[in-house]
Amino acid sequence: MCELHGGEDFGQDVLDAGLLVRSSVRGVVARSGTFEGVVEGFEAYVTRHGADQQAEVLRFPPLFPRADYGRVNHIHNFPDLLGSVHTFLGSERDHRKLVLEFEDGQDWTRGLVSAETMLIPAACYPLYPLLEGELTGTRCVDLRSWVFRHEPSDDLPRMQCFRQREYVRVGTADQAWAHRELWRERALELLLNLGLPAVSQPANDPFFGRGGRLAKATQREQDLKYEVLVPVTSTDKPTAISSQNCHLDAFGTAFGIRLPDGSPAHTACVGFGLERIALALFKTHGLRLEDWPTSVRAELGL
Amino acid sequence: MCELHGGEDFGQDVLDAGLLVRSSVRGVVARSGTFEGVVEGFEAYVTRHGADQQAEVLRFPPLFPRADYGRVNHIHNFPDLLGSVHTFLGSERDHRKLVLEFEDGQDWTRGLVSAETMLIPAACYPLYPLLEGELTGTRCVDLRSWVFRHEPSDDLPRMQCFRQREYVRVGTADQAWAHRELWRERALELLLNLGLPAVSQPANDPFFGRGGRLAKATQREQDLKYEVLVPVTSTDKPTAISSQNCHLDAFGTAFGIRLPDGSPAHTACVGFGLERIALALFKTHGLRLEDWPTSVRAELGL
């Protein structure tokens, strides 16, 4: 049994220690250098233990084409979490109106129109459009992106904007399934090895509305997605800090990624929630790096 | 005189070499591992040469509160570049309508409403709200953010979403001015030292509309902002890769950051456009790291 550090309100302790700094919007926070050091240390640790994947590295900006967003089912399943980029395309005359509305304290954003992009809901979404066409062999891609989920919350680990590190496998059904299985074990081991009281269990995604209940049941029945959970701000409701997900041929079909036999490719990914993992480490080992176990600091190069 | 590498169309050469990968939206590109290695190497180089600043590190997500956006003059000066985050806040009934519009190929984004956040137009904007109140001594803050500018372009260095690394000084008028002057020299030296054919000149910001002409003239007259330019995709129109800007008391006034005597604090910053600097290095030294001068590779740890 791990001893949990921090007072009754761990989130407040993190803020008091200056590890994170709140803004006026819930779930939008700044990261201190110490916090970033833990994130960077964890990323290097994952890279080391993922070297056998021989993954190619790709890094996307925090937004991607709206046209590609329209090819996944996010608008059906998670509309309440989406982030759409809007901008001003008007004339000088329209601009004077915009500024007047702004200065009068009215809702000036009604004068904006949608740009060509959406904020990224999951790190692997921008990858698939680049793979359209016939797949040669199997590919593994190493991703890290800022992702957005509009779920304003006072719970510190539930940020609106955070970073996911992923390894995505694209290949046959067997290869995708094997990737999910490999990382279901490995992600748990890597997190346990850092002293975290981590457990693995089937995922429980917050699909929207009544229709979402069916999607949720299907996800569970098909045994597609697992999560690793650790207590961070609550022992009763531990926080998901990693997930391993087999998408079957959903993205292969949606983006026209084909195997040599013409059938759609299968995909799977492991994702690490970098801010949540850093918070889990501070929760488990204490707010001061000096107090962390030597072995954990060594693994993270801290 | 530096010999410039690459063919007639350097942007295409960069894409052909796989250093960057285009999406279907102009100015939204993926970065390869090799490209990211150059960015990381340059960041470490800046950190080394900025150590005397004893800056505190803060890292913001790519968006910040709309309320804080409203306290800078961006909506007046650069409305055409802004990025506003919109989301779906409706009922299940509204959602069915949204999905119908989406499936019919209509503009479903009209069913969205503005969230509480804006994409960050410049890396230092999210900092100032955190400094509200009385300033003790002078502060230097080390920032890196993804910033957004809605200017879709086929010119590869002109991305919609890119990273800025900054050192921001907050203090007296003299301290802010000294920071601008220090970094006007040092940024140029650091970039020349990497073999870049860099020149420094007064900045030329794209203020919006007829009113913008006055703002542009004022910026020049007051000698506030300098840029470092290097030829990347054009020799005639070199690309700005760094800027050094004294803001006088604009942010101190807007965000209530006060000196001990009650007067508003002054601020200044140096910014490095990380993607543009990486592109300038590839343009100047060639598309293959193996061909770069040994001294440059050593400075960047490549």
Side-chain angles (χ1 to χ4, degrees):
Chain A
M1 185 62 199
C2 282
E3 186 197 348
L4 292 183
H5 291 251
E8 282 299 293
D9 187 347
F10 171 70
Q12 192 56 50
D13 294 341
V14 166
L15 298 169
D16 291 345
L19 292 168
L20 296 175
V21 187
R22 279 219 161 107
S23 75
S24 59
V25 169
R26 289 182 297 159
V28 177
V29 302
R31 286 82 169 148
S32 68
T34 304
F35 190 91
E36 288 297 289
V38 173
V39 168
E40 283 162 24
F42 180 77
E43 278 221 81
Y45 172 70
V46 168
T47 301
R48 229 159 52 232
H49 289 275
D52 64 327
Q53 304 290 292
Q54 299 187 292
E56 46 194 309
V57 174
L58 273 181
R59 298 288 179 254
F60 291 91
L63 43 75
F64 78 130
R66 182 184 308 284
D68 296 329
Y69 176 83
R71 294 162 85 179
V72 297
N73 278 329
H74 196 267
I75 195 172
H76 298 90
N77 291 329
F78 307 103
D80 48 333
L81 303 182
L82 71 75
S84 172
V85 179
H86 290 221
T87 193
F88 174 75
L89 293 180
S91 64
E92 288 202 37
R93 189 186 166 85
D94 298 327
H95 181 233
R96 286 197 294 276
K97 185 162 167 280
L98 186 81
V99 168
L100 276 178
E101 285 177 347
F102 165 75
E103 288 175 350
D104 288 348
Q106 295 173 40
D107 179 9
W108 55 273
T109 63
R110 287 174 307 177
L112 305 180
V113 295
S114 56
E116 314 83 354
T117 51
M118 300 284 292
L119 296 179
I120 295 178
C124 60
Y125 285 5
L127 170 65
Y128 305 117
L130 304 186
L131 302 179
E132 188 167 346
E134 187 178 320
L135 191 73
T136 342
T138 171
R139 286 178 77 167
C140 188
V141 187
D142 166 344
L143 302 173
R144 178 186 61 244
S145 288
W146 283 94
V147 300
F148 175 81
R149 294 178 183 173
H150 187 259
E151 43 181 358
S153 166
D154 287 323
D155 188 32
L156 211 51
R158 191 166 295 278
M159 298 181 184
Q160 290 197 45
C161 214
F162 56 96
R163 281 160 296 180
Q164 283 179 341
R165 173 74 185 274
E166 290 200 2
Y167 287 100
V168 182
R169 171 70 59 182
V170 190
T172 64
D174 285 351
Q175 286 163 342
W177 196 261
H179 185 77
R180 207 291 302 275
E181 283 300 282
L182 171 76
W183 282 99
R184 180 157 74 102
E185 275 192 25
R186 190 184 286 181
L188 182 62
E189 269 168 26
L190 287 177
L191 294 162
L192 285 170
N193 183 47
L194 296 178
L196 297 176
V199 295
S200 171
Q201 66 175 47
N204 191 18
D205 283 347
F207 292 96
F208 182 81
R210 276 177 297 178
R213 281 185 224 149
L214 181 63
K216 194 178 276 198
T218 307
Q219 186 184 61
R220 283 201 170 231
E221 265 165 35
Q222 298 190 301
D223 194 35
L224 296 179
K225 186 171 176 183
Y226 281 78
E227 287 175 341
V228 177
L229 297 108
V230 170
V232 179
T233 45
S234 158
T235 312
D236 297 345
K237 295 182 181 169
T239 300
I241 60 173
S242 168
S243 69
Q244 306 84 41
N245 195 1
C246 183
H247 319 119
L248 304 177
D249 62 356
F251 294 116
T253 301
F255 291 96
I257 312 166
R258 295 185 314 276
L259 298 173
D261 70 3
S263 68
H266 284 235
T267 59
C269 67
V270 57
F272 294 97
L274 298 178
E275 283 81 359
R276 288 185 174 184
I277 287 169
L279 284 170
L281 287 164
F282 282 112
K283 174 67 180 177
T284 306
H285 300 308
L287 296 173
R288 296 163 5 124
L289 296 184
E290 309 89 273
D291 300 335
W292 290 20
T294 314
S295 63
V296 173
R297 294 181 64 181
E299 287 284 17
L300 301 178
L302 294 172
Chain B
M1 186 62 199
C2 284
E3 185 196 350
L4 293 182
H5 292 253
E8 281 298 294
D9 187 346
F10 171 71
Q12 193 56 51
D13 295 341
V14 166
L15 299 169
D16 291 345
L19 293 169
L20 296 174
V21 187
R22 278 219 161 108
S23 75
S24 60
V25 169
R26 288 181 299 161
V28 176
V29 302
R31 286 81 169 148
S32 68
T34 304
F35 190 91
E36 288 297 290
V38 173
V39 167
E40 284 162 22
F42 179 78
E43 278 221 77
Y45 173 70
V46 168
T47 301
R48 232 161 49 234
H49 289 276
D52 64 328
Q53 304 289 292
Q54 300 186 294
E56 46 194 310
V57 173
L58 273 181
R59 298 288 179 254
F60 292 92
L63 41 77
F64 77 129
R66 182 184 308 284
D68 296 329
Y69 176 83
R71 293 162 85 178
V72 297
N73 279 329
H74 196 267
I75 195 172
H76 298 90
N77 290 330
F78 307 103
D80 48 333
L81 302 182
L82 70 76
S84 172
V85 179
H86 289 220
T87 192
F88 173 75
L89 293 179
S91 63
E92 288 201 38
R93 190 185 164 83
D94 298 327
H95 181 232
R96 286 197 294 277
K97 184 161 167 282
L98 186 79
V99 168
L100 276 179
E101 286 177 347
F102 166 74
E103 289 174 350
D104 288 348
Q106 296 174 38
D107 179 10
W108 55 274
T109 63
R110 287 174 307 177
L112 306 180
V113 295
S114 57
E116 314 82 353
T117 50
M118 300 285 293
L119 296 179
I120 295 178
C124 60
Y125 285 5
L127 169 66
Y128 305 118
L130 304 185
L131 302 180
E132 187 168 346
E134 188 178 319
L135 190 73
T136 343
T138 170
R139 286 177 78 167
C140 188
V141 188
D142 166 345
L143 302 172
R144 179 188 60 245
S145 289
W146 283 93
V147 300
F148 176 80
R149 294 177 184 176
H150 188 259
E151 41 180 1
S153 167
D154 287 323
D155 188 33
L156 211 51
R158 191 166 294 279
M159 298 181 185
Q160 290 198 45
C161 214
F162 56 95
R163 283 161 294 181
Q164 283 178 341
R165 173 74 184 274
E166 288 200 1
Y167 287 101
V168 182
R169 171 70 59 183
V170 190
T172 63
D174 285 351
Q175 287 163 341
W177 195 261
H179 186 76
R180 209 290 303 272
E181 284 299 283
L182 172 74
W183 282 99
R184 180 158 75 102
E185 274 192 26
R186 191 183 288 182
L188 182 61
E189 269 168 28
L190 287 177
L191 294 162
L192 286 170
N193 184 47
L194 295 177
L196 297 175
V199 296
S200 171
Q201 67 175 46
N204 191 18
D205 283 347
F207 292 97
F208 182 81
R210 275 177 298 178
R213 281 185 225 148
L214 182 63
K216 195 179 277 199
T218 307
Q219 186 185 62
R220 284 202 170 230
E221 265 166 35
Q222 297 189 302
D223 194 34
L224 296 179
K225 186 172 175 183
Y226 281 78
E227 287 175 341
V228 177
L229 297 107
V230 170
V232 180
T233 45
S234 158
T235 312
D236 296 345
K237 295 183 181 170
T239 300
I241 60 174
S242 167
S243 68
Q244 307 84 40
N245 195 1
C246 183
H247 319 119
L248 303 177
D249 63 357
F251 294 116
T253 301
F255 291 96
I257 312 166
R258 295 186 313 278
L259 297 174
D261 70 3
S263 67
H266 284 234
T267 59
C269 68
V270 57
F272 295 95
L274 297 178
E275 282 81 358
R276 288 184 174 186
I277 287 169
L279 284 171
L281 287 163
F282 283 112
K283 174 68 180 175
T284 305
H285 300 308
L287 296 173
R288 296 164 4 127
L289 296 184
E290 308 88 272
D291 300 334
W292 289 20
T294 314
S295 64
V296 173
R297 294 181 64 179
E299 287 285 16
L300 300 178
L302 293 172

